[in-house]
Amino acid sequence: MEHQLKIYDSLTREKRLFVPLNPPFVGMYSCGPTVYNEVHLGNLRTFTTFDVVYRYLMHIGYKVRYVRNITDAGHLTNDAGEGVDRIEERAKLERLEPMEIVRKYTDNFHDVCRIFNLLPPSIEPTATGHIVEQIEMIKKILANGYAYEVNGSIYFDVRKFMQKYEYGKLSGRNVDELIEGSRELDGQEEKKNSVDFAIWKSVSPNHIQRWQSPWGEGIPGWHLECSAMGTKYLGKQFDIHGGGMDLKFPHHECEIAQSVGADDIQPVRYWMHANMLTVNGDKMSKSKGNSFLPMELFTGKHAMLEKAYAPMPVRFFMLQAHYRSTLDFTNSALQAAEKGYARLMTAYKALNELVYTKAAAPTVPAEIEEVQKLCKEVYEKMDDDFNTAEAIAVLFEMGKKINSYKEGLITLSSIDEATFNLLKTTFNAFIKDILAIDKEDSTGDDGKEKELMKVILELRKDVRARKDFAASDKIRDELLKIGIQVKDGKDGVTWTMN
Ligand code: AMP
Ligand code: ZN
């Protein structure tokens, strides 16, 4: 199938046909977590969004290099680039080494990713592993005149940059208003202008994490990390950069300025921003005290939770909204998602138990057309800026069809075998590879059992085709002895297990 994938680019604010720089390769970067505490469900929504983008791009044939970093230094408590290093602060609080904090919360993040069926990225670079690259990038920006040094810290000179380039386009911020609205912050007196941001920050010797640089000991600026790592692994310009909506400013705005300041090139062809998971309309965030941790969800141990929720229905819940819409986290919405998820999985199970057999009656062209249309539509929805919400609505329609075949309300042989196979491949691809919501079903013995039964029933079909009914009955009877009941319906063979 030819795909006309369109992606909404936050920078130009338009949905454009996706044309990678070097097809079939795609370079994609998404900002990873700052590993100073446990990821909450809000963070997870953003990571899930880019997991589906990654999966879908691969599914339609691209060879994707997906880079998602780990921020293990330099992210200060204030996003404007002031305050103290979050990892350093947490290390003091927990009386651990910063690198112990990093290990602990990186492991936690990976566990959560695994539980929620997120694929590992192709490369997961850490900021502390790329100090050299960051220093090199700072040198370039300095050489081009877009940064200045004060007391061992290097600041990006936004005003100077604006003499030649645009600043604020991505976030739609006006620099004059920003300057007027900015508060006096710690360290700000060092800057020429309050909109300037640190790309290297000098730290005192009592700071545990610090690195040597041409400007003395310090830590890299958070915004610079992503620019340096993105450039290193994907090139000066690459296809897709993602992150949560809250990272548009200042983080991504600064990334653009840094790349343009260093290499005079727009770093990203398609900027993608995932909208926020909210609680009663407020952004879910640790600092607001309205965040949920995955563990709290599985145990139901949280004041706002009525019950426990399993990971796959929660993943499904997130994908039921388009990534550019906000999504409100409520018990009723989660419970509705649980029901929807169960419905879809029932259809998934039924589909994989259906065995197509040709009937004497002719196929029904209208029925064939309907099924083929749904199989096309579900991809069109994804091609429209990864609209998982609408793709899922189509999957529900497909689910209805599957159920009617299963229950015999419509005879399966009213569609031809090729159309049945198309339905099966498409539906399975969405459940397993694209939305990836089948984890519970595919782990453990259950998946194997299904595969095994498929083999046995195929063999039985061959035996029957040879009119060896004695052998066919023997297979059926032996299966029954071990509690597996095989039924020969007019639409094929189904089986149930006690
Ligand atoms: P952080 O570790 O704070 O840098 O956040 C990791 C990712 O989670 C970033 O891409 C954020 O934009 C994203 N994020 C944070 N809070 C939320 C939220 N409530 N909903 C969706 N994404 C979020
Ligand atoms: Zn980033």
Side-chain angles (χ1 to χ4, degrees):
M1 178 176 170
E2 266 297 300
H3 288 272
Q4 294 280 307
L5 174 63
K6 290 199 181 79
I7 300 184
Y8 181 86
D9 170 26
S10 315
L11 183 66
T12 52
R13 294 176 174 71
E14 60 182 10
K15 225 187 265 181
R16 289 202 316 269
L17 191 66
F18 179 60
V19 185
L21 276 170
N22 304 303
F25 302 101
V26 171
M28 166 166 145
Y29 187 97
S30 123
C31 293
T34 304
V35 282
Y36 72 112
N37 61 16
E38 292 167 294
V39 281
H40 59 65
L41 285 168
N43 305 132
L44 195 69
R45 181 184 183 201
T46 293
F47 296 128
T48 306
T49 295
F50 294 103
D51 179 59
V52 172
V53 170
Y54 177 41
R55 285 171 178 276
Y56 190 65
L57 289 171
M58 288 196 292
H59 180 77
I60 62 175
Y62 289 116
K63 307 228 173 318
V64 190
R65 177 179 287 174
Y66 175 28
V67 181
R68 189 187 62 206
N69 72 295
I70 293 282
T71 296
D72 56 353
H75 194 173
L76 306 186
T77 42
N78 178 302
D79 274 354
E82 309 297 342
V84 293
D85 185 312
R86 294 182 189 202
I87 309 262
E88 181 92 11
E89 185 185 56
R90 188 71 186 208
K92 290 199 173 116
L93 197 75
E94 294 196 26
R95 293 174 183 276
L96 293 171
E97 276 287 321
M99 281 295 119
E100 285 180 284
I101 293 293
V102 166
R103 177 80 275 146
K104 180 173 166 184
Y105 294 110
T106 303
D107 286 349
N108 167 264
F109 172 60
H110 287 160
D111 287 346
V112 171
C113 288
R114 222 169 294 121
I115 292 170
F116 283 94
N117 233 3
L118 270 71
L119 290 175
S122 331
I123 303 177
E124 195 172 46
T126 60
T128 58
H130 296 78
I131 301 289
V132 173
E133 288 80 358
Q134 293 170 75
I135 290 175
E136 288 310 305
M137 193 159 190
I138 296 169
K139 282 188 193 161
K140 271 194 187 176
I141 300 172
L142 274 170
N144 291 343
Y146 298 119
Y148 54 90
E149 181 190 348
V150 186
N151 302 328
S153 291
I154 311 290
Y155 294 100
F156 192 93
D157 193 339
V158 174
R159 281 283 188 214
K160 180 80 187 298
F161 180 77
M162 286 176 71
Q163 286 171 9
K164 188 164 173 198
Y165 304 105
E166 217 176 339
Y167 179 84
K169 189 179 172 200
L170 178 70
S171 57
R173 310 262 171 141
N174 175 304
V175 170
D176 293 320
E177 283 167 19
L178 281 173
I179 293 172
E180 251 170 55
S182 68
R183 292 171 287 130
E184 274 301 310
L185 295 163
D186 172 34
Q188 191 165 292
E189 60 280 3
E190 283 189 349
K191 300 189 212 169
K192 283 195 207 163
N193 225 305
S194 60
V195 279
D196 295 350
F197 55 91
I199 51 180
W200 184 264
K201 192 99 178 144
S202 141
V203 292
S204 59
N206 65 2
H207 209 275
I208 309 169
Q209 292 212 103
R210 55 183 202 279
W211 290 267
Q212 258 318 324
S213 81
W215 318 283
E217 288 193 327
I219 53 172
W222 172 44
H223 313 313
L224 192 84
E225 299 174 357
C226 286
S227 292
M229 293 187 277
T231 308
K232 167 149 182 162
Y233 296 108
L234 301 170
K236 287 176 184 165
Q237 192 182 54
F238 53 89
D239 297 305
I240 300 174
H241 191 316
M245 205 78 105
D246 57 338
L247 296 189
K248 262 191 192 175
F249 190 87
H251 190 53
H252 293 159
E253 199 72 76
C254 296
E255 275 190 45
I256 296 176
Q258 290 162 166
S259 289
V260 175
D263 295 311
D264 195 15
I265 187 166
Q266 273 293 332
V268 175
R269 312 239 308 159
Y270 299 83
W271 278 98
M272 290 184 68
H273 287 97
N275 215 327
M276 295 291 106
L277 184 67
T278 59
V279 183
N280 296 322
D282 275 340
K283 174 190 167 186
M284 183 183 285
S285 85
K286 186 106 182 177
S287 58
K288 285 199 180 115
N290 66 354
S291 64
F292 291 79
L293 299 177
M295 272 321 280
E296 293 171 331
L297 202 72
F298 309 150
T299 56
K301 286 196 181 114
H302 187 290
M304 282 175 73
L305 291 178
E306 286 168 8
K307 62 188 269 305
Y309 298 92
M312 286 304 103
V314 175
R315 183 174 164 110
F316 176 73
F317 160 73
M318 296 200 186
L319 298 177
Q320 260 194 312
H322 185 240
Y323 77 89
R324 283 195 288 122
S325 317
T326 54
L327 173 64
D328 208 40
F329 187 85
T330 63
N331 279 283
S332 57
L334 275 175
Q335 283 162 31
E338 270 184 335
K339 289 202 184 96
Y341 176 75
R343 254 182 26 234
L344 216 51
M345 294 320 273
T346 305
Y348 177 54
K349 190 163 180 270
L351 175 66
N352 289 291
E353 284 168 7
L354 276 173
V355 178
Y356 189 88
T357 40
K358 278 196 184 70
T363 52
V364 182
E367 184 68 18
I368 293 176
E369 206 179 297
E370 251 184 81
V371 172
Q372 290 183 349
K373 191 163 159 259
L374 290 173
C375 292
K376 193 160 165 258
E377 253 175 33
V378 72
Y379 278 107
E380 284 167 356
K381 301 298 183 192
M382 286 301 284
D383 286 341
D384 183 14
D385 193 26
F386 308 96
N387 198 330
T388 54
E390 289 188 9
I392 287 173
V394 180
L395 288 180
F396 276 127
E397 290 304 310
M398 293 164 94
K400 278 188 207 155
K401 285 265 168 235
I402 294 164
N403 289 337
S404 23
Y405 299 144
K406 167 88 179 174
E407 286 157 22
L409 301 174
I410 305 175
T411 52
L412 180 57
S413 52
S414 62
I415 57 175
D416 59 327
E417 190 160 10
T419 305
F420 173 67
N421 288 337
L422 174 73
L423 174 68
K424 197 163 163 176
T425 329
T426 309
F427 200 85
N428 283 346
F430 269 82
I431 300 292
K432 285 202 287 202
D433 306 331
I434 301 169
L435 305 177
I437 48 174
D438 73 323
K439 197 157 180 262
E440 274 111 335
D441 251 32
S442 65
T443 51
D445 295 339
D446 196 30
K448 280 262 183 323
E449 231 157 49
K450 269 190 213 156
E451 295 303 316
L452 199 62
M453 280 306 291
K454 223 161 86 186
V455 174
I456 296 173
L457 292 180
E458 278 301 322
L459 286 173
R460 185 164 171 267
K461 211 165 119 185
D462 293 347
V463 167
R464 282 167 76 88
R466 290 199 303 271
K467 301 209 181 323
D468 187 352
F469 296 112
S472 149
D473 288 349
K474 186 167 180 213
I475 296 173
R476 188 194 58 202
D477 297 342
E478 290 300 319
L479 284 171
L480 193 61
K481 279 189 205 157
I482 56 165
I484 298 171
Q485 193 176 8
V486 176
K487 280 192 205 133
D488 293 299
K490 63 179 190 312
D491 284 322
V493 187
T494 56
W495 61 276
T496 49
M497 193 167 66
N498 299 328

